[in-house]
Amino acid sequence: MKPDFALEDPSTFNMVLPWSHFNTAGGKGNRDAASSKLLQEKLSHYLDIVEVNIAHQISLRSEAFFHAMTSQHELQDYLRKTSLAVKMLRDKIGQIDKVMCEGSLNVLRLSLTKINCIKVYNKLKLMAAVHQTQPTVQLLLSTSEFVGALDLIATTQEVLQQELQGIHSFRHLGSQLCELEKLIDKMMVAEFSTYARSDLNRPLEEECQILEEDRLVSLVFGLLKQRKLNFFEIYGDEIIITAKNIIKQCVVNTVSEIEEIDTDVVVKLADQMRLMNFPQWFDLLKNIFSNFILFLKRIKATLNVIRSAVLLVLDKNQRCKELGEAPVQKNASRESAVDTEVAYLTHEGLFISDAFSGRDLPPTTADSVSPRNVCPDSEPSSSDCVSEPECATDSSSSKEQASSGITPAGIETMIGEDMKLSELELVRLANNIQELLYSASDICHDRSVKFLMARAKDGFLEKLNSAEFVALSRLMETFILDTEQICGRKSMSLRGALQSQANKFVNRFHEERKTKLSLLLDNERWKQAEVPAEFQDLVDSISDGRIALPEKKTGAPEERKPTDFLVVDGHKYAVVGTVLLLIRIILEYCQCVDNIPSIATDMLTRLSDLLKYFNSRSCQLVLGAGALQVVGLKTITTKNLALSSRCLQLIVHYIPVIRAHFESRLQPKQFSMLRHFDHITKDYHDHIAEISAKLVAIMDSLFDKLLSKYEVKAPVPSTCFRNICKQMAKMHEAIYELLPEEQTQMLFLRINASYKLHLKRQLAHLNVVNDGGPQNGLVTADVAFYTGNLQALKGLQTLDLNMGEIWEQKR
């Protein structure tokens, strides 16, 4: 392959031909030399043969050979001319390139080089900013700027995936940022837990309702950004723990102030609490309720801030959804306009850098964008893009400005564009936060119920008197209404516990009074009692139809003598002592309903039972003559009967007032219970009628006994009529002071009718007729004596006796 290759050169020949080794320096004898010589001669012979063949071929084609040799000279002349033309053309093109094209192309080349340098610069600048991401995130986390840190991480991740894809030095940064983001998630949850604990456990006396509102808002936005939508459950758990601690602390504080309780002997708080008397325990409960009210107000304020932040994100999502199409169209048209402008400038050959320098992009625009928009593209217009730490500083400063006032406009700067939460999720979260407020109310009520039950184990609450239970009931009702006003929903557990205790109280209240009434009736001798002034005042206090126990008068008591009768609406009532106390008991039932409205139906049932009991028991004792065995009365007199009737009439008088009192305190659907009063009124009227019938029956049996022995003979008036008039006078004397005049007249009319019936029967038996005969005259004289005596009694002067009915009418 050498350019100076020559086979005739011995050295070359010796290298090419393998037989050259025969011609060695040492040699092996003449035989080798001869072989070499023979080979050379043979090769020379071959060469000669080739030359002879070549010469033969040339001789055959000699004419064509000489023609080619002749054409060679003409071809060389053409080539020489062509070479000169090409050289001249190249010189002209070179001159044209140098004069007309080289400058313009160099300008375009330099412009593209500048653009590429700007891109490289921006890329390096962006890499420098990304390189500072982790230190900046650490700085933001040190000031609890979780939203800013998350925005910075999200922006950096986007830049790494879009603009710095494939950069070898950043190959591990993405995974590091993911781990850092998980760490921030844990930090935010821990920070929110710490915030909830410090917010709920700080002293309730503090006037500030919301602790570090800007910190709370930042945490909420950070948690929303990371879709940690169950963060409110942490707050709910802290509410439960704090509610327990509030009661425990109140008990500890109260016990420490009571010297009678030795905390060394009684260790358990529940046992210490049970050693308190009612005033001490009541003050403790009042303190717990007041602390719970402050506690709920604080929870409501904090949850309102959280819920407002969630609703703000929801509102922004809805507005972005409505306006989403317009910005997309605007950006598309803007980008197409830029592309068209760049193509036009490139084709026209103008300076592209000059064209971009004239655009309306002030340098401050890049400084004011959010971290999400740092270096959004690689266009030359982004040459003023700021570095990432600078963006973070601007972001944090804007948050500080927003947090100072927590205005909607300020908060919106904290809501990143990547909070991709659906409206359903946000609405559900807002509802869950509202439910948490309801749950807080339920928790306070449940803890209060447990506190009450702990004290009620030894029957403490059931042993309270009416005033104490009313005070307790009012306190609990006030607390229930206050919590409803704060939280906006009713919590039923405490109300249920109050109802349960109220039922027990009603049972004990009723049993005590029923037992008291039973003892009074068993010891009642059914004699007219004097009416103390306080009972007259009691009756006067309800004269206007409004039932209320009069307040006890303080100071020196007035000297007022008892009266014989109880005056009610201008009418006199002769009563026994039991009825006076029954009236007071009835008013206590009515007053209790006013104090504890929730027990109105139970009280109505119990009061109905009490009134029925009084009616039936008094009937047994008087009409049934049970008082003979119970209190040892010798007999049931007409006076006892009349007095019993008048007492029943007094109760009947007050039943409409009692009914109206309960009706105004019942729900419309409960009005059917008022029928109890109708039944009671009927029973009382029946009882009164039975007493009247009993009085008539007494005289009827007397008439039957006396008139059956009546004989029409002198002297006049007869002994029979004298006895009858005497008994009538006794009857009148017994009942006149007890019953009203109209009732007395009605009673004596019925007695007179009975008298006439028996007299008529006896006259028919004696066959005495109204014929003007001697016997008729004797009877007329006796009847005149009877009539005169009867009309001489007080209040009976105008009584129409109609004595003509004693005679059989002639047919």
Side-chain angles (χ1 to χ4, degrees):
M1 298 300 293
K2 291 182 179 180
D4 56 346
F5 173 79
L7 189 62
E8 61 269 18
D9 185 16
S11 59
T12 302
F13 184 81
N14 288 331
M15 292 178 67
V16 171
L17 293 176
W19 297 274
S20 60
H21 69 276
F22 294 124
N23 187 16
T24 57
K28 291 185 178 181
N30 295 328
R31 187 169 53 85
D32 293 335
S35 298
S36 176
K37 185 176 180 180
L38 180 64
L39 177 64
Q40 188 173 3
E41 289 176 355
K42 190 176 181 176
L43 293 173
S44 299
H45 174 69
Y46 289 159
L47 181 61
D48 292 339
I49 292 173
V50 170
E51 289 178 352
V52 169
N53 287 331
I54 291 173
H56 176 69
Q57 291 295 329
I58 292 172
S59 64
L60 292 175
R61 294 173 176 78
S62 59
E63 185 177 353
F65 176 77
F66 288 114
H67 177 72
M69 290 297 293
T70 304
S71 301
Q72 180 69 22
H73 295 291
E74 293 179 1
L75 181 61
Q76 288 181 352
D77 290 339
Y78 284 129
L79 288 175
R80 191 180 300 109
K81 291 179 182 179
T82 302
S83 175
L84 290 175
V86 169
K87 182 179 180 182
M88 186 181 298
L89 181 61
R90 289 173 64 88
D91 290 341
K92 289 182 179 181
I93 290 174
Q95 291 176 359
I96 291 172
D97 177 56
K98 186 175 182 179
V99 174
M100 299 183 67
C101 298
E102 186 175 349
S104 298
L105 289 174
N106 194 37
V107 168
L108 289 175
R109 190 180 300 111
L110 290 175
S111 176
L112 292 174
T113 302
K114 180 182 178 182
I115 291 173
N116 291 333
C117 288
I118 290 174
K119 289 182 179 180
V120 172
Y121 171 75
N122 287 335
K123 191 74 73 175
L124 291 174
K125 198 173 181 181
L126 186 59
M127 290 175 65
V130 170
H131 183 66
Q132 292 296 319
T133 296
Q134 287 177 304
T136 307
V137 168
Q138 297 293 342
L139 180 63
L140 290 171
L141 293 180
S142 65
T143 58
S144 298
E145 289 286 347
F146 297 108
V147 177
L150 290 169
D151 280 339
L152 186 53
I153 289 174
T155 302
T156 305
Q157 290 279 31
E158 186 176 329
V159 170
L160 285 174
Q161 293 174 3
Q162 294 180 359
E163 301 187 31
L164 299 181
Q165 182 76 26
I167 302 295
H168 189 69
S169 59
F170 289 150
R171 64 188 182 279
H172 299 306
L173 183 59
S175 59
Q176 291 172 356
L177 291 177
C178 288
E179 292 299 322
L180 191 57
E181 190 171 4
K182 293 178 182 178
L183 176 63
I184 292 175
D185 288 352
K186 295 179 181 178
M187 288 179 64
M188 283 193 300
V189 172
E191 182 79 6
F192 186 81
S193 180
T194 304
Y195 174 87
R197 195 174 300 112
S198 57
D199 176 48
L200 295 173
N201 288 293
R202 58 197 170 102
L204 292 168
E205 294 77 16
E206 286 186 13
E207 294 183 1
C208 178
Q209 286 195 337
I210 303 176
L211 179 67
E212 301 179 16
E213 185 173 355
D214 52 347
R215 176 186 170 197
L216 173 61
V217 172
S218 176
L219 277 170
V220 171
F221 282 127
L223 291 165
L224 291 177
K225 185 179 182 68
Q226 295 303 103
R227 302 182 67 85
K228 301 291 182 182
L229 303 184
N230 61 341
F231 63 90
F232 63 90
E233 295 176 0
I234 299 173
Y235 201 78
D237 295 338
E238 289 299 328
I239 289 174
I240 297 174
I241 297 172
T242 308
K244 294 180 182 178
N245 293 335
I246 286 175
I247 292 183
K248 183 177 180 181
Q249 192 60 43
C250 288
V251 175
V252 170
N253 294 340
T254 304
V255 169
S256 64
E257 296 174 358
I258 301 175
E259 297 178 357
E260 295 82 0
I261 300 177
D262 189 350
T263 55
D264 295 332
V265 178
V266 183
V267 180
K268 292 184 178 180
L269 280 178
D271 295 335
Q272 294 172 359
M273 180 190 65
R274 293 191 187 99
L275 295 176
M276 299 179 188
N277 56 32
F278 179 76
Q280 294 169 340
W281 181 83
F282 186 75
D283 290 339
L284 171 60
L285 182 62
K286 190 185 296 183
N287 187 28
I288 290 173
F289 283 165
S290 63
N291 283 344
F292 272 155
I293 292 298
L294 294 174
F295 181 58
L296 288 175
K297 287 181 178 178
R298 180 173 294 174
I299 291 172
K300 181 178 182 180
T302 302
L303 292 181
N304 279 345
V305 172
I306 297 175
R307 193 165 184 268
S308 298
V310 174
L311 293 177
L312 192 63
V313 175
L314 176 61
D315 180 62
K316 185 170 183 179
N317 281 5
Q318 291 173 342
R319 284 190 282 114
C320 290
K321 186 177 180 181
E322 293 172 358
L323 302 176
E325 297 180 359
V328 171
Q329 296 174 355
K330 182 177 179 181
N331 290 337
S333 61
R334 177 181 175 275
E335 290 174 0
S336 62
V338 171
D339 293 340
T340 305
E341 183 182 7
V342 171
Y344 170 78
L345 293 174
T346 303
H347 285 22
E348 290 297 317
L350 299 177
F351 292 98
I352 300 178
S353 58
D354 292 346
F356 277 110
S357 65
R359 291 173 60 177
D360 298 331
L361 293 176
T364 56
T365 304
D367 296 334
S368 62
V369 297
S370 66
R372 198 77 176 125
N373 296 323
V374 174
C375 301
D377 50 35
S378 57
E379 290 182 2
S381 59
S382 64
S383 60
D384 295 328
C385 180
V386 296
S387 65
E388 200 76 26
E390 294 171 344
C391 290
T393 305
D394 291 345
S395 175
S396 61
S397 64
S398 66
K399 284 178 186 177
E400 291 174 0
Q401 183 178 2
S403 64
S404 61
I406 310 297
T407 59
I411 290 179
E412 285 196 12
T413 62
M414 302 171 67
I415 306 176
E417 295 293 334
D418 55 350
M419 282 196 183
K420 303 303 182 184
L421 296 170
S422 67
E423 292 184 11
L424 180 61
E425 288 176 322
L426 291 170
V427 171
R428 186 181 294 124
L429 179 58
N431 292 336
N432 287 336
I433 293 170
Q434 186 63 40
E435 285 293 332
L436 184 58
L437 179 60
Y438 301 152
S439 176
S441 174
D442 292 340
I443 289 168
C444 291
H445 281 237
D446 292 343
R447 300 314 305 179
S448 300
V449 169
K450 289 186 178 181
F451 177 78
L452 287 172
M453 293 302 103
R455 190 65 183 93
K457 281 185 177 179
D458 54 355
F460 172 77
L461 298 180
E462 297 177 19
K463 297 175 184 176
L464 299 180
N465 59 39
S466 297
E468 290 172 342
F469 190 85
V470 167
L472 175 63
S473 176
R474 286 179 176 174
L475 178 64
M476 293 172 68
E477 282 288 350
T478 302
F479 174 70
I480 290 170
L481 293 175
D482 288 343
T483 55
E484 287 178 7
Q485 184 177 5
I486 293 171
C487 301
R489 191 175 73 173
K490 293 182 179 181
S491 296
M492 302 308 297
S493 58
L494 187 59
R495 196 182 295 276
L498 175 59
Q499 187 65 44
S500 175
Q501 290 300 322
N503 292 337
K504 293 179 181 178
F505 169 76
V506 168
N507 289 333
R508 185 184 57 78
F509 179 92
H510 176 64
E511 290 301 325
E512 284 182 356
R513 280 149 184 77
K514 189 172 181 179
T515 303
K516 181 179 180 181
L517 179 61
S518 177
L519 292 173
L520 288 171
L521 287 170
D522 288 344
N523 291 279
E524 180 59 64
R525 301 189 67 84
W526 297 99
K527 292 183 178 180
Q528 184 176 359
E530 292 183 336
V531 180
E534 60 175 305
F535 284 97
Q536 185 61 54
D537 293 340
L538 187 68
V539 170
D540 293 341
S541 68
I542 57 176
S543 60
D544 58 353
R546 183 178 57 86
I547 295 180
L549 289 171
E551 297 181 0
K552 293 182 178 180
K553 297 179 180 179
T554 57
E558 300 178 4
E559 292 294 334
R560 296 168 61 191
K561 293 182 179 180
T563 58
D564 293 333
F565 297 94
L566 187 68
V567 180
V568 179
D569 294 339
H571 299 285
K572 290 182 178 181
Y573 285 87
V575 293
V576 295
T578 299
V579 171
L580 291 176
L581 294 173
L582 177 59
I583 294 295
R584 184 172 186 85
I585 290 173
I586 291 172
L587 295 188
E588 287 176 354
Y589 276 80
C590 296
Q591 187 69 44
C592 201
V593 170
D594 282 344
N595 295 329
I596 315 174
S598 61
I599 62 174
T601 54
D602 287 339
M603 275 297 182
L604 188 151
T605 306
R606 301 301 194 284
L607 181 56
S608 301
D609 178 61
L610 189 76
L611 293 174
K612 289 177 181 177
Y613 175 77
F614 173 76
N615 185 47
S616 61
R617 186 65 177 148
S618 61
C619 183
Q620 293 171 4
L621 292 171
V622 180
L623 277 176
L628 299 181
Q629 291 80 24
V630 176
V631 294
L633 292 181
K634 293 181 180 179
T635 182
I636 301 297
T637 65
T638 54
K639 195 166 189 175
N640 297 141
L641 290 168
L643 196 57
S644 173
S645 175
R646 195 59 174 156
C647 291
L648 293 171
Q649 292 172 28
L650 177 62
I651 302 301
V652 170
H653 173 79
Y654 280 114
I655 287 179
V657 180
I658 299 168
R659 178 193 175 106
H661 180 83
F662 275 91
E663 185 175 3
S664 63
R665 285 151 183 82
L666 291 177
Q667 300 294 329
K669 61 183 179 181
Q670 299 170 336
F671 284 169
S672 60
M673 298 187 68
L674 297 172
R675 68 180 184 278
H676 289 298
F677 292 113
D678 299 331
H679 298 158
I680 292 169
T681 303
K682 181 180 182 301
D683 292 343
Y684 272 66
H685 280 305
D686 291 344
H687 189 182
I688 293 169
E690 288 176 10
I691 293 175
S692 299
K694 182 66 175 179
L695 291 172
V696 174
I698 291 172
M699 296 305 296
D700 184 76
S701 62
L702 180 67
F703 294 148
D704 183 49
K705 180 181 179 181
L706 293 176
L707 290 174
S708 63
K709 299 178 182 179
Y710 173 59
E711 296 178 357
V712 182
K713 63 181 181 178
V716 178
S718 66
T719 305
C720 176
F721 272 76
R722 287 179 184 275
N723 289 335
I724 288 175
C725 290
K726 183 180 178 181
Q727 293 300 325
M728 294 284 274
K730 284 183 178 181
M731 170 68 77
H732 182 271
E733 182 183 358
I735 68 172
Y736 180 73
E737 295 293 333
L738 303 180
L739 297 179
E741 186 173 316
E742 61 274 10
Q743 289 187 25
T744 305
Q745 291 176 355
M746 290 299 297
L747 182 62
F748 273 90
L749 280 175
R750 292 177 64 186
I751 292 173
N752 182 59
S754 175
Y755 161 76
K756 289 189 291 184
L757 181 63
H758 284 283
L759 180 59
K760 184 177 182 179
R761 186 182 299 138
Q762 183 63 20
L763 291 176
H765 176 68
L766 296 175
N767 200 21
V768 177
V769 296
N770 187 15
D771 57 357
Q775 286 189 325
N776 178 258
L778 291 174
V779 172
T780 301
D782 282 338
V783 170
F785 173 77
Y786 164 82
T787 304
N789 275 276
L790 190 57
Q791 291 183 340
L793 299 176
K794 291 182 180 180
L796 304 182
Q797 295 85 356
T798 60
L799 206 62
D800 183 11
L801 300 179
N802 194 14
M803 297 307 295
E805 293 179 354
I806 64 175
W807 305 106
E808 288 284 352
Q809 298 295 325
K810 293 181 179 180
R811 296 179 182 177

